[in-house]
Amino acid sequence: MDRIGMVHRDSLSCEAIVRKLPDGSLLLLSQCGGMGEPCPENRVLVFHSADGETWSKPSLIREENGRALYATDVDVNGNVVTAYITEHNGGYLDTDCYALVSRDGGNSWQRQELPVFRNTFVFLRGTIRTANGLTLIAYQHYPITREENDALIAAGKNVLESELPAVLCGTLLSRDGVHFEKSNDISIPNSFGGKRIWQWPEPTIVQLTHGFAMLLRINGAGVLYRSDSADGLTWSQPRPTDIPNPNNKPKLIRMQDGAVALINTPNPALGMKHRNPLEIWISDDDMRTWRYKKRVLDFPGWLSYPDGFADGKRIVFSFEVNRHDIYLADCDVSDFYA
């Protein structure tokens, strides 16, 4: 049996991320506030739930300082919760990217510097851990110069009006969970089909039987792109898949038995109004085919930014509806194993 319930409604809700804590409760973070994104009123709110149905009142992840906040990933490793944060001027300029770490279930947070990246605009996304002790974190990096940053601010512009030619994606890899090395950069041009299009690739990674796979959102393509790596540090040039996507974030999740689940809105038509239906696909042959497909919701609205985790034969994830409402879905996929 599936459950879908509302968590919160705001003037803006974008990229809700839910994780399970060691005590079995749920922690959800989301960018909320303001009338759009990016804007100066964007903040990161924190929600708690013991059962996935009743949620705490939201709290700010950090004290107010007048700057916009965005959370791009939440990682739970034992009793340590890490949220990757981008703080900015309201237009993704003058960025300060760092981690906020909690050791009390997301009730209090302390700042920690990012691995590898310093003083640059970067989103860290989709931390995974392997059975042999590797930790991988996907990144999307916007190496905007200080000169261009200052010129955009002086002109009253935001980062979307930057002349940056490409966004760089890849992974950070650690063998001890502390020290990280950076992979090669995958260059995603800020264009498609001969037209200038700002890219938000939102890479999602998963471990396969041998090596790793990455899926990327490529605005303008109508499908997801895929890159592969044998070692987690050397990634192939992305190539188009046959998985439809309307310019929306996908999410890969490794199941306990090694199967790979994908949460996606498989619609080739482009634009927010085509971010539906919302489906779970599962592959048991390292993403060569997807023999299981479950439609979670076909509401004709904007079903955006799914993110969550596998819990046995269930997949639990958060998503937003029409950029205002945060929902939690708890989906039974036991028929995949039948």
Side-chain angles (χ1 to χ4, degrees):
M1 182 177 179
D2 299 341
R3 295 186 302 170
I4 300 178
M6 187 172 170
V7 176
H8 178 70
R9 173 173 291 164
D10 215 302
S11 56
L12 170 84
S13 297
C14 179
E15 193 148 16
I17 301 172
V18 67
R19 297 290 183 261
K20 187 177 182 178
L21 298 177
D23 65 1
S25 66
L26 298 180
L27 175 70
L28 187 150
L29 273 62
S30 181
Q31 175 184 243
C32 293
M35 300 306 295
E37 185 245 351
C39 78
E41 293 77 27
N42 296 158
R43 298 293 183 270
V44 173
L45 299 184
V46 180
F47 304 83
H48 298 266
S49 177
D51 57 8
E53 296 183 2
T54 303
W55 291 86
S56 66
K57 292 182 179 180
S59 60
L60 290 171
I61 196 170
R62 54 154 293 169
E63 68 278 4
E64 181 61 58
N65 69 352
R67 302 233 312 150
L69 291 183
Y70 183 40
T72 56
D73 189 33
V74 181
D75 174 53
V76 178
N77 186 19
N79 69 341
V80 179
V81 181
T82 303
Y84 292 111
I85 300 295
T86 298
E87 181 180 316
H88 59 96
N89 74 334
Y92 285 128
L93 297 168
D94 277 351
T95 56
D96 184 13
C97 299
Y98 53 88
L100 288 175
V101 176
S102 175
R103 291 177 170 80
D104 60 3
N107 292 296
S108 63
W109 302 83
Q110 292 78 43
R111 177 173 172 139
Q112 181 174 292
E113 297 310 306
L114 297 183
V116 178
F117 290 102
R118 295 288 188 275
N119 302 316
T120 189
F121 179 20
V122 64
F123 290 164
L124 299 190
R125 294 186 169 278
T127 304
I128 65 170
R129 291 181 179 82
T130 68
N132 63 344
L134 298 181
T135 301
L136 282 81
I137 310 173
Y139 66 80
Q140 63 189 72
H141 179 208
Y142 298 91
I144 295 171
T145 64
R146 170 50 60 181
E147 291 75 18
E148 184 176 16
N149 176 91
D150 294 348
L152 288 168
I153 291 175
K157 298 179 178 180
N158 67 34
V159 76
L160 297 174
E161 298 168 277
S162 165
E163 296 298 321
L164 189 72
V167 54
L168 307 178
C169 293
T171 51
L172 305 181
L173 183 146
S174 176
R175 304 179 194 281
D176 61 7
V178 177
H179 304 94
F180 285 82
E181 52 188 316
K182 190 176 80 65
S183 73
N184 65 307
D185 288 322
I186 301 168
S187 181
I188 309 295
N190 280 320
S191 61
F192 193 87
K195 297 181 180 179
R196 176 74 174 176
I197 299 178
W198 189 263
Q199 295 291 347
W200 303 105
E202 291 154 357
T204 179
I205 54 175
V206 72
Q207 182 183 11
L208 304 178
T209 304
H210 303 288
F212 304 89
M214 175 189 296
L215 291 180
L216 303 110
R217 159 191 171 178
I218 303 297
N219 287 344
V223 296
L224 296 174
Y225 275 52
R226 174 172 172 171
S227 175
D228 289 273
S229 175
D231 60 3
L233 283 173
T234 304
W235 291 91
S236 64
Q237 184 63 28
R239 63 190 187 279
T241 69
D242 60 358
I243 305 171
N245 181 273
N247 300 347
N248 197 9
K249 170 185 165 179
K251 178 66 177 182
L252 289 170
I253 298 173
R254 183 176 170 88
M255 308 291 285
Q256 289 181 348
D257 64 345
V260 176
L262 169 66
I263 314 173
N264 183 38
T265 46
N267 189 338
L270 302 178
M272 286 189 178
K273 69 179 181 180
H274 299 297
R275 288 181 172 180
N276 58 73
L278 183 61
E279 295 187 353
I280 296 171
W281 295 7
I282 305 180
S283 171
D284 53 10
D285 60 4
D286 284 338
M287 297 171 53
R288 288 186 288 273
T289 63
W290 304 88
R291 72 169 177 85
Y292 178 91
K293 296 182 180 181
K294 179 188 184 80
R295 180 159 296 185
V296 177
L297 192 63
D298 58 6
F299 176 76
W302 306 354
L303 311 178
S304 302
Y305 280 51
D307 203 309
F309 57 91
D311 191 8
K313 296 180 180 179
R314 305 188 70 84
I315 294 178
V316 180
F317 67 97
S318 48
F319 64 98
E320 315 97 50
V321 178
N322 294 337
R323 303 273 284 184
H324 295 294
D325 301 342
I326 300 171
Y327 278 81
L328 183 80
D330 184 342
C331 296
D332 180 6
V333 293
S334 59
D335 47 337
F336 167 75
Y337 298 95

